């Protein structure tokens, strides 16, 4: 991508409405644009990161055996009346009436709709277990939307729904998602801690929130310090291995970890002082087992091996991609801007041509651009006629992991400078060496 043809509306000044660092950098880096309270467009740079986040979420859902579909944002109130949640959901639900005076709503979650899809086509236990997911916009009329896309009204959610014949089966499905979530957050460069959590309007009594510790987090959380020591489930984990999944779950739930609502002060205070961590956190995922809460009122039954009809046991599992992007920034930045983990960086490398009027700089930059792009890297080529200082500031702000600086003096000596955004290390090397270094392992 040539920066001269791209759309990257960088802000030079700090936007005054931004209270936390991720919101400030997302606005300054031209990733998002606000339209109303808690409503945002994702501009090209932001969209690239969001797509990469979603790709990782999708890969890990697929790996665990979940199957993707896509449900609409608009739902009919009838289904919610059937489940008994239409009134109970309250003011957070955006209710809409269509031209035929039918009661509709912008979905805040999809338990009812997925149960409707399930009951219309699955009739036998032989088709179970089943886990269906989608990545779709939701709307919740939050009382206090804030911190940019961290808590917005329109936001994206990956929501998965599991169906099993028995409670034991459903608990195994729960543990599958538990392990898949640990892998997902790890690949996003985050250490998420599963904490016992309240179930709120979704229901049930088994639930974990996945929390990223951050000073700017909205939740107050309490946990043991040793979570950092636990291993993340391996890529080749067999998700059908009941014992293995149970082992992972047991380990990750063996230490104290609870959100404010579930906090047991006596149990926590009984821990030695050095092991206690009382902190703030960002909830990036939340999983629930709620049994037959929806299948019973909505009559989602399957025939069991005994020939009888059984209400199906369900769970639901949410991740917030549009919250994860700012959460990653909260966890990884410095005073100059964002420092993206490689896995979600909008570009892998940025070529900074310090003097576009110089023919030699132009041809070296073009050569780099072509070679890196051909090797499959996402490359941004800063071919604008901005001052060098402004170009460096932009590259640091948008957080691309590798910067290649092409300047007249270096080029005359046959060299470019390769800078690592995270470590700040700068190394001068030949163009060929720079290409070899950045394409290594591709
Ligand atoms: C689980 C999937 C549910 O809605 N039903 C389907 C269940 N859970 S949840 O905890 O309410 O939301 C799941 C995740 O969505 C993100 N999220 C938000 N992101 C941005 N702005 C919001 N206002 C918002 N509300 C929820 C969170 O990541 C949450 O864990």
């Amino acid at each position: 991508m040539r920066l001269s043809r791209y759309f990257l509306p960088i802000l030079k000044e700090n936007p005054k409405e931004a209270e936390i660092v991720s919101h400030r950098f997302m606005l300054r880096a031209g990733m998002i644009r606000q339209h109303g309270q808690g409503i945002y467009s994702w501009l090209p740079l932001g969209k690239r990161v969001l797509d990469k986040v979603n790709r990782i979420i999708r890969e890990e859902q697929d790996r665990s055996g979940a199957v993707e579909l896509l449900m609409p944002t608009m739902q009919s109130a009838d289904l919610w009346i059937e489940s008994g949640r239409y009134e109970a959901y309250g003011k957070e639900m955006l209710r809409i009436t269509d031209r035929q005076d039918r009661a509709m709503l912008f979905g805040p979650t999809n338990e009812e709709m997925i149960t409707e899809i399930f009951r219309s086509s699955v009739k036998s236990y032989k088709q179970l277990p089943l886990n269906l997911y989608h990545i779709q916009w939701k709307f919740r009329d939050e009382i206090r939307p804030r911190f940019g896309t961290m808590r917005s009204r329109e936001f994206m959610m990956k929501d998965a729904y599991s169906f099993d014949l028995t409670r034991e089966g459903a608990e195994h499905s729960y543990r599958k998602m538990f392990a898949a979530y640990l892998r997902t957050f790890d690949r996003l460069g985050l250490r998420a801690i599963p904490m016992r959590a309240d179930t709120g309007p979704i229901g049930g009594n088994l639930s974990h929130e996945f929390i990223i510790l951050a000073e700017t987090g909205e939740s107050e959380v309490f946990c043991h310090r040793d979570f950092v020591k636990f291993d993340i489930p391996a890529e080749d984990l067999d998700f059908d291995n009941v014992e293995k999944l149970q082992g992972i779950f047991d380990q990750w739930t063996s230490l104290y970890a609870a959100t404010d609502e579930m906090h047991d002060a006596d149990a926590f205070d009984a821990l030695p002082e050095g092991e206690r961590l009382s902190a703030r956190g960002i909830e990036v995922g939340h999983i629930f087992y709620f049994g037959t809460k929806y299948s019973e009122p909505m009559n989602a039954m399957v025939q069991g091996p005994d020939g009888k009809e059984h209400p199906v046991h369900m769970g639901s599992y949410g991740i917030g991609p549009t919250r994860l992007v700012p959460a990653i920034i909260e966890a990884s930045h410095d005073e100059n801007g964002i420092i993206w983990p490689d896995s979600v960086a909008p570009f892998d490398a940025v070529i900074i041509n310090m003097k576009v009027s110089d023919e030699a700089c132009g041809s070296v930059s073009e050569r780099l651009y072509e070679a890196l792009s051909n090797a499959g890297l996402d490359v941004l080529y800063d071919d604008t006629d901005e001052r060098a200082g402004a170009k460096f500031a932009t590259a640091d702000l948008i957080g691309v992991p590798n910067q290649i600086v092409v300047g007249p003096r270096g080029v005359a000596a046959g060299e470019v400078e390769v800078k690592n955004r995270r470590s700040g290390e700068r190394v001068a090397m030949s163009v060929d060496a720079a290409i070899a270094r950045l394409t290594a392992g591709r």
Side-chain angles (χ1 to χ4, degrees), residues 109 111 140 142 150 152 155 161 283-286 288 316 318 320:
T109 178
E111 279 80 8
R140 291 183 185 172
E142 301 269 355
M150 189 77 92
S152 49
F155 61 96
Y161 302 87
E283 176 206 326
V284 286
H286 197 165
F288 303 80
S316 73

Side-chain angles (χ1 to χ4, degrees), residues 395-431:
D396 278 353
L397 176 64
I398 67 173
V400 176
N402 302 288
Q403 303 173 4
I404 309 166
V405 182
V406 183
R409 223 175 299 154
V411 165
E415 284 184 339
V416 294
E417 194 177 64
V418 177
K419 177 182 159 190
N420 181 285
R421 173 69 179 92
R422 189 172 291 276
S423 67
E425 180 204 35
R426 297 155 177 270
V427 190
M429 60 183 81
S430 70
V431 177

Side-chain angles (χ1 to χ4, degrees), residues 62-253:
D62 294 350
R63 195 193 303 279
S64 78
V67 182
E68 186 170 8
L69 46 60
L70 184 59
M71 292 176 267
T73 55
M74 296 305 296
Q75 304 187 21
S76 149
D78 293 346
L79 282 175
W80 288 67
I81 293 168
E82 240 189 279
S83 74
R85 264 209 302 186
Y86 188 57
E87 294 309 327
Y89 210 90
K91 282 190 176 293
E92 278 203 2
M93 182 189 275
L94 179 63
R95 296 157 207 257
I96 302 161
T97 310
D98 74 5
R99 68 202 296 169
Q100 274 116 18
D101 254 354
R102 272 192 292 255
M104 311 279 294
L105 55 102
F106 194 125
T109 178
N110 287 57
E111 279 80 8
E112 284 78 0
M113 189 173 268
I114 201 79
T115 304
E116 210 288 310
I117 291 174
F118 178 89
R119 74 179 174 190
S120 66
S121 40
V122 180
K123 305 288 178 202
S124 160
Y125 76 97
K126 290 181 188 157
Q127 291 162 274
L128 303 182
L130 182 64
N131 188 324
L132 299 171
Y133 78 96
H134 72 161
I135 301 179
Q136 177 62 292
W137 294 99
K138 305 286 184 281
F139 193 96
R140 291 183 185 172
D141 203 351
E142 301 269 355
I143 303 183
R144 234 187 132 197
R146 57 179 187 159
F147 301 160
T149 66
M150 189 77 92
R151 176 171 298 281
S152 49
R153 294 199 298 165
E154 191 180 16
F155 61 96
M156 199 172 262
M157 195 196 287
K158 182 290 296 178
D159 36 328
Y161 302 87
S162 67
F163 301 89
D164 284 87
L165 177 65
T166 62
R167 182 186 173 108
E168 295 69 49
E171 284 173 353
H172 177 64
S173 295
Y174 185 91
R175 293 191 286 266
K176 278 190 196 174
M177 279 292 123
F178 187 96
Y181 276 30
L182 290 174
R183 281 192 49 80
T184 304
F185 298 126
D186 183 64
R187 286 186 62 192
L188 295 171
L190 297 168
R191 170 78 30 164
I193 303 175
M195 304 203 182
R196 287 196 303 116
D198 188 28
T199 56
I202 307 294
N205 47 27
L206 171 62
S207 174
H208 286 90
E209 279 181 18
F210 287 76
I211 302 276
I212 308 299
L213 300 181
E215 278 166 27
T216 48
E218 289 191 286
S219 322
E220 201 184 349
V221 296
F222 305 86
C223 68
H224 198 286
R225 288 187 183 273
D226 281 356
F227 275 96
V228 280
K229 296 184 183 158
F230 293 161
D231 289 335
I232 300 296
E235 187 174 333
D236 61 358
L237 171 68
D238 171 7
F239 279 90
D240 293 324
N241 186 331
V242 176
E243 287 77 38
K244 181 88 191 164
L245 266 278
Q246 181 77 55
I248 292 168
F249 181 78
D250 288 348
Q251 183 186 39
W252 281 87
T253 53

